[in-house]
Amino acid sequence: MHGVELTDRESTILQSVIEGYVKEAKPVSSSAVVRMSSVSLSSATVRNVMRALEEKGLILQPHTSAGRIPTDLGYRYYVDNLVKPAGLTPGERKAIGNELAKLVHCDLATVLAGISHMVSEASREMAVAVAPSGGGQVIEQVALVAIGAGRIMAVVATDVGPTRTAVLTTDGTFHRTEVSKAADLLNEWLRGVTLSEASATILKRFAEQDPAPDGWLGGLLDGVRVFLSPGGSERIHYEGARYIFRHPEFSTDASSLGEILDSEETLADVVRGPVRAAEVRVVIGAENVCSGMNRMSLVAGTYRIGGVVGRMGVIGPTRMKYPRLIGLVGYFSKVLDDLLAE
Amino acid sequence: MHGVELTDRESTILQSVIEGYVKEAKPVSSSAVVRMSSVSLSSATVRNVMRALEEKGLILQPHTSAGRIPTDLGYRYYVDNLVKPAGLTPGERKAIGNELAKLVHCDLATVLAGISHMVSEASREMAVAVAPSGGGQVIEQVALVAIGAGRIMAVVATDVGPTRTAVLTTDGTFHRTEVSKAADLLNEWLRGVTLSEASATILKRFAEQDPAPDGWLGGLLDGVRVFLSPGGSERIHYEGARYIFRHPEFSTDASSLGEILDSEETLADVVRGPVRAAEVRVVIGAENVCSGMNRMSLVAGTYRIGGVVGRMGVIGPTRMKYPRLIGLVGYFSKVLDDLLAE
DNA sequence: CTTAGCACTCTTATAAGGAGAGTGCTAAGG
DNA sequence: CCTTAGCACTCTCCTTATAAGAGTGCTAAG
């Protein structure tokens, strides 16, 4: 990733080109750079510098005799070396703090929806919130709650992340003590087991039982097993797809967007990527694993709220307002950590 | 809605125009009608009939000297009078039955995801599944489950539809009997109350208590109250957005799609509309309340699975395969009802 | 190293012309 | 009276030509 070294002047002009392009969505000419940047140079000199930047692969011309636009590499240098995350206004901070505090007691779906809503509103871009991937979570407790008429609710709590619940419908009737006994059995079997192993564990333990549980209990155990089997719905939520269509680069051809919105797994993977807590990660254009996103960028961070540790991110064109978005995602991360620490 | 009366010949030709347009996405000429429909008429005669259909507002010309395309009214007549829902192949039926049976024991999010996935796959269109709107549901049971380290999970089961869960973090420690006492209290207060009244009920009962609960219990009750306050996340899931982009009418300008995908409330309202159980409803183009959908159609039905009664629908361009989609949605409704009856 | 000047290139907008598709109309035939 | 063949007319779409404009690359002078 390293190896690109720029002089101060080159940096300044690269920054002007990028910020001009982000603002206007049109190739930036040498004279436009002179106009907007405070350097007192002639356009001819700027052209020479631009030529150097082009040779280093940071900007390019869409065609001969057009201005320059940034390449992915150009954005990368910009993000790594030139961007200063923008601070939020006091009003924004207050609004965000108030809204987030409300989410602390909500269930997972509401948290995901709330975070993606807030981030999207603040960024005017599409925002995504993802819960931690389920497989590795360790089961802490299984609870069965009779809710009348042959229906039992199963609740599985893990060390971190979302709890999973399901309503199981069983044949016949059962006594309260039977339910509590079944719960004890399941807890004995599953405590400390990861979610991804849970289904297999039940099968194995079930086979070891002598006599094999049957009838009501057998049905119940099997219901729990199915409900815990891998491949449950992805825990992800996004909002602000409308903003993507407002960008001129996607107003004409947005077909790649369909793939992204649809494949929740891909989307989750993209956002999940290797983000360390308290770090904001930026993935630019073709750096994305997902080919459908090779003209988009992602600004991602972590959030922690109400026992859930997950990822959130902003997705938009590579031509996005990096300082603002990096500042924003960072601020959300920080506030949520502070909330948790209280 | 009524008032349009067509002769047999007019019906046949309207059908040809619509089916030709659905297939080719291009205006249908009189000679094309002659070619595809089995009527043995000259193109000139067909032209005369088309003229009559145009005067009745069922078809129109995009411009002089072009073929005809159906209007919303034309599709309406077609759907009401000419469409025979297409049956599914035995292979499809079997696949759908197997898949659906797996969903019975899953939690709500998985059910919604599963149904929208299956409908989308089968229809090759965008599919939406919505859970019943939450406000009117009656609370049946509240359960509190201690999951260690000051964390308590609250679970609210309702007469129908999704259960809501949240993890509440409380200060200090508590004894198991205290938790069970708090649960008894909440059950006494809330059983039979609707979700939308729950929050207010807690506040009222709380004020009546003497002495007022405080400390640990007070915090817990307030946590439950916040978690039950209205405005939780919408319970909706869709899949297949990619299919919309494949339709030529949306490949260029898909901006209205952004609005639809984003506003989950609108989307839910659209799909929820007045559908009676076991009835498939079709909403065509500008018949949609939502202005962003005035060039799209919806085929909606109900589903019942694992205690959840909700709506599902297919969304695509008005130029959609109505016979196939109506047959498909109807079949899903029927199979799910049968599954429930078992 | 910087800069003014200028030729060159490429895009974009506008106009014009021709080909093709499909209709509406008219008049003849069953 | 309904149907149909024939034909002129209209509108879109594609291609080509031309002009204007923007912006660069290069060269030579400061």
Side-chain angles (χ1 to χ4, degrees):
Chain A
M1 206 55 91
H2 263 252
V4 182
E5 292 290 335
L6 299 188
T7 65
D8 281 0
R9 175 185 287 178
E10 284 171 333
S11 285
T12 307
I13 288 177
L14 175 62
Q15 182 161 359
S16 291
V17 170
I18 290 179
E19 291 176 357
Y21 184 64
V22 168
K23 205 166 187 179
E24 304 287 345
K26 279 181 288 193
V28 179
S29 70
S30 53
S31 54
V33 169
V34 172
R35 213 177 310 127
M36 81 177 64
S37 126
S38 50
V39 295
S40 46
L41 291 171
S42 74
S43 66
T45 308
V46 172
R47 276 202 290 282
N48 288 333
V49 177
M50 284 168 118
R51 187 176 181 68
L53 288 172
E54 185 160 17
E55 274 164 12
K56 292 179 181 172
L58 300 172
I59 59 180
L60 59 80
Q61 291 178 285
H63 55 82
T64 333
S65 84
R68 301 310 210 289
I69 63 178
T71 62
D72 288 352
L73 197 60
Y75 283 122
R76 169 52 58 201
Y77 185 92
Y78 172 68
V79 166
D80 287 345
N81 301 289
L82 305 175
V83 165
K84 286 190 183 170
L88 279 68
T89 68
E92 284 177 329
R93 291 179 177 200
K94 198 172 169 190
I96 289 172
N98 288 344
E99 284 290 312
L100 281 181
K102 284 187 200 162
L103 288 180
V104 172
H105 293 297
C106 296
D107 63 356
L108 181 72
T110 309
V111 168
L112 294 182
I115 288 184
S116 55
H117 175 74
M118 293 177 64
V119 176
S120 171
E121 279 290 301
S123 65
R124 317 291 284 180
E125 299 283 356
M126 182 169 126
V128 188
V130 191
S133 65
Q137 294 166 51
V138 177
I139 294 175
E140 269 191 355
Q141 176 133 10
V142 182
L144 298 178
V145 183
I147 52 175
R151 291 161 66 210
I152 291 180
M153 182 155 57
V155 180
V156 175
T158 59
D159 58 333
V160 75
T163 53
R164 300 179 70 159
T165 65
V167 173
L168 306 173
T169 318
T170 61
D171 332 314
T173 56
F174 44 82
H175 200 267
R176 215 166 162 151
T177 53
E178 287 180 297
V179 176
S180 123
K181 227 174 198 167
D184 288 344
L185 191 64
L186 280 170
N187 270 306
E188 188 191 319
W189 288 2
L190 296 178
R191 199 166 290 169
V193 171
T194 64
L195 267 184
S196 52
E197 300 162 349
S199 181
T201 302
I202 292 182
L203 261 188
K204 196 176 119 222
R205 293 301 190 92
F206 194 100
E208 287 170 3
Q209 290 296 96
D210 187 33
D214 61 348
W216 175 82
L217 183 59
L220 178 69
L221 289 178
D222 201 54
V224 173
R225 189 185 61 75
V226 170
F227 140 65
L228 283 178
S229 51
S233 69
E234 287 293 325
R235 304 310 183 113
I236 181 169
H237 200 278
Y238 59 79
E239 187 168 327
R242 63 181 174 283
Y243 293 121
I244 292 195
F245 292 97
R246 297 191 185 165
H247 292 291
E249 45 265 73
F250 296 110
S251 62
T252 50
D253 174 30
S255 57
S256 65
L257 191 62
E259 318 282 338
I260 298 165
L261 296 183
D262 262 3
S263 172
E264 301 205 327
E265 285 167 41
T266 308
L267 194 53
D269 284 347
V270 165
V271 178
R272 275 201 193 105
V275 186
R276 273 196 298 272
E279 179 198 52
V280 175
R281 202 167 62 98
V282 181
V283 184
I284 297 165
E287 292 173 6
N288 273 296
V289 208
C290 166
S291 69
M293 278 190 63
N294 57 15
R295 302 188 59 188
M296 306 183 115
S297 284
L298 164 80
V299 177
T302 61
Y303 66 83
R304 305 168 64 188
I305 187 171
V308 177
V309 180
R311 303 271 154 72
M312 66 189 152
V314 176
I315 292 176
T318 49
R319 190 185 68 78
M320 58 164 48
K321 292 177 183 167
Y322 293 96
R324 164 76 177 170
L325 299 181
I326 293 171
L328 200 62
V329 169
Y331 186 73
F332 269 88
S333 276
K334 184 171 158 301
V335 170
L336 286 163
D337 265 11
D338 291 352
L339 264 178
L340 198 72
E342 272 175 19
Chain B
M1 207 54 92
H2 263 251
V4 182
E5 291 291 336
L6 298 188
T7 64
D8 281 0
R9 175 184 287 175
E10 285 172 332
S11 284
T12 308
I13 288 178
L14 175 62
Q15 182 162 359
S16 292
V17 170
I18 290 179
E19 291 176 356
Y21 184 63
V22 168
K23 206 165 185 180
E24 304 287 345
K26 278 181 288 194
V28 179
S29 70
S30 52
S31 53
V33 169
V34 172
R35 213 177 310 127
M36 82 177 65
S37 128
S38 51
V39 296
S40 48
L41 290 172
S42 74
S43 67
T45 309
V46 172
R47 277 202 289 281
N48 288 332
V49 177
M50 284 169 118
R51 187 177 182 68
L53 288 172
E54 184 160 19
E55 273 164 14
K56 291 179 181 172
L58 300 171
I59 57 179
L60 61 79
Q61 292 179 284
H63 54 83
T64 332
S65 85
R68 302 309 208 290
I69 63 178
T71 62
D72 288 353
L73 197 61
Y75 283 122
R76 169 53 57 200
Y77 185 92
Y78 172 68
V79 166
D80 288 345
N81 302 289
L82 305 176
V83 165
K84 287 189 182 170
L88 280 67
T89 68
E92 284 176 329
R93 291 180 178 202
K94 198 172 168 189
I96 289 172
N98 289 345
E99 284 289 312
L100 281 181
K102 283 188 203 162
L103 289 179
V104 172
H105 292 296
C106 296
D107 64 357
L108 181 73
T110 309
V111 168
L112 294 182
I115 288 185
S116 54
H117 176 74
M118 293 177 63
V119 176
S120 171
E121 279 290 301
S123 65
R124 316 292 284 181
E125 299 282 357
M126 180 168 127
V128 187
V130 191
S133 65
Q137 295 166 49
V138 177
I139 294 174
E140 268 189 357
Q141 177 132 10
V142 182
L144 298 178
V145 182
I147 52 175
R151 291 160 67 210
I152 291 181
M153 181 152 57
V155 179
V156 176
T158 60
D159 58 334
V160 75
T163 52
R164 300 178 71 161
T165 64
V167 173
L168 306 174
T169 318
T170 61
D171 332 314
T173 56
F174 43 80
H175 198 266
R176 215 165 164 151
T177 54
E178 287 180 297
V179 176
S180 121
K181 226 174 199 169
D184 289 344
L185 190 67
L186 280 170
N187 271 305
E188 187 191 317
W189 288 2
L190 296 178
R191 200 167 287 170
V193 172
T194 64
L195 268 184
S196 52
E197 299 162 351
S199 180
T201 302
I202 292 181
L203 262 187
K204 197 175 118 223
R205 293 299 192 92
F206 194 100
E208 287 169 2
Q209 290 295 95
D210 186 32
D214 61 349
W216 177 81
L217 183 58
L220 179 68
L221 290 178
D222 201 54
V224 173
R225 189 185 62 75
V226 170
F227 141 64
L228 283 178
S229 48
S233 69
E234 287 293 325
R235 303 309 183 115
I236 183 168
H237 200 277
Y238 58 79
E239 185 168 328
R242 63 182 175 281
Y243 293 121
I244 292 196
F245 293 96
R246 297 190 186 165
H247 291 291
E249 46 265 73
F250 296 110
S251 62
T252 50
D253 173 31
S255 57
S256 64
L257 192 62
E259 318 282 337
I260 298 165
L261 295 184
D262 260 6
S263 171
E264 302 205 327
E265 285 166 40
T266 308
L267 193 54
D269 285 347
V270 166
V271 178
R272 276 200 193 106
V275 187
R276 274 196 298 274
E279 181 199 49
V280 175
R281 201 169 62 98
V282 181
V283 184
I284 298 166
E287 292 173 7
N288 275 295
V289 210
C290 165
S291 68
M293 279 190 62
N294 57 15
R295 302 187 61 188
M296 306 183 116
S297 285
L298 164 79
V299 178
T302 60
Y303 66 82
R304 304 169 63 189
I305 187 169
V308 177
V309 180
R311 301 273 154 72
M312 66 190 152
V314 176
I315 292 177
T318 50
R319 191 186 68 77
M320 59 164 49
K321 292 177 181 168
Y322 293 97
R324 164 76 177 169
L325 298 182
I326 293 171
L328 198 63
V329 170
Y331 186 74
F332 268 90
S333 276
K334 184 172 158 301
V335 170
L336 286 164
D337 265 10
D338 292 351
L339 264 178
L340 199 70
E342 272 174 20

